Amino acid sequence: MTANDPLSNALSGISNAESVGHLTHEVSPASNEIGQVLEVFYDRGYVDGFEFVDDGRSGQFEVELKGAINECGPVKPRYSAGAEEFEKWEKRFLPARDYGTLVVTTSHGIMSHYEARDQGIGGQVIAYVY
């Protein structure tokens, strides 16, 4: 099976595993982008942790779930947003103000939209979680 969008596959797998009550989920193939998105999820308290496992190919992440994710998914197409425009995207992808997180890729790396707003930088919205 070929994965056209590994980030989308990883997020849908995590969302499905959370919805059926699994405690762990394996995300394969691993990539730096997926690892940084999982880091944002961990920092914001949506997952208990994750670990990279080298399987001799592309590797995989073992994600420890804690039941805090109601829904997560990719944002397609990846919309550009300035530091002052994140509220517009919050309204579109999140259910309520200050409930959930947008994952943004910036020139300073992948971070939550809260961090990007605090630093005054914009970027592209790539995922959401709540």
Side-chain angles (χ1 to χ4, degrees):
M1 178 178 104
T2 61
N4 290 334
D5 186 5
L7 178 63
S8 178
N9 292 343
L11 294 177
S12 66
I14 290 171
S15 182
N16 291 340
E18 281 274 357
S19 67
V20 296
H22 290 178
L23 298 176
T24 61
H25 178 69
E26 292 180 355
V27 174
S28 179
S31 70
N32 289 337
E33 180 185 37
I34 294 171
Q36 292 174 349
V37 169
L38 289 173
E39 185 71 34
V40 171
F41 284 15
Y42 176 74
D43 290 342
R44 301 295 299 171
Y46 290 104
V47 296
D48 275 339
F50 64 96
E51 180 183 4
F52 176 75
V53 177
D54 187 11
D55 60 359
R57 294 181 297 239
S58 62
Q60 63 186 14
F61 288 108
E62 290 184 3
V63 183
E64 297 175 29
L65 304 173
K66 65 188 247 182
I69 297 176
N70 294 315
E71 187 175 336
C72 66
V75 173
K76 291 288 196 154
R78 294 182 173 178
Y79 296 105
S80 295
E84 65 283 344
E85 296 176 346
F86 288 126
E87 188 169 337
K88 169 182 156 184
W89 300 107
E90 281 183 78
K91 288 179 184 177
R92 181 175 286 186
F93 293 108
L94 302 178
R97 172 178 250 169
D98 295 331
Y99 183 77
T101 302
L102 297 174
V103 181
V104 182
T105 180
T106 68
S107 58
H108 298 280
I110 294 178
M111 62 183 71
S112 72
H113 75 284
Y114 298 109
E115 294 174 59
R117 188 179 341 175
D118 291 343
Q119 294 179 15
I121 53 178
Q124 288 187 327
V125 180
I126 61 171
Y128 64 91
V129 60
Y130 59 87

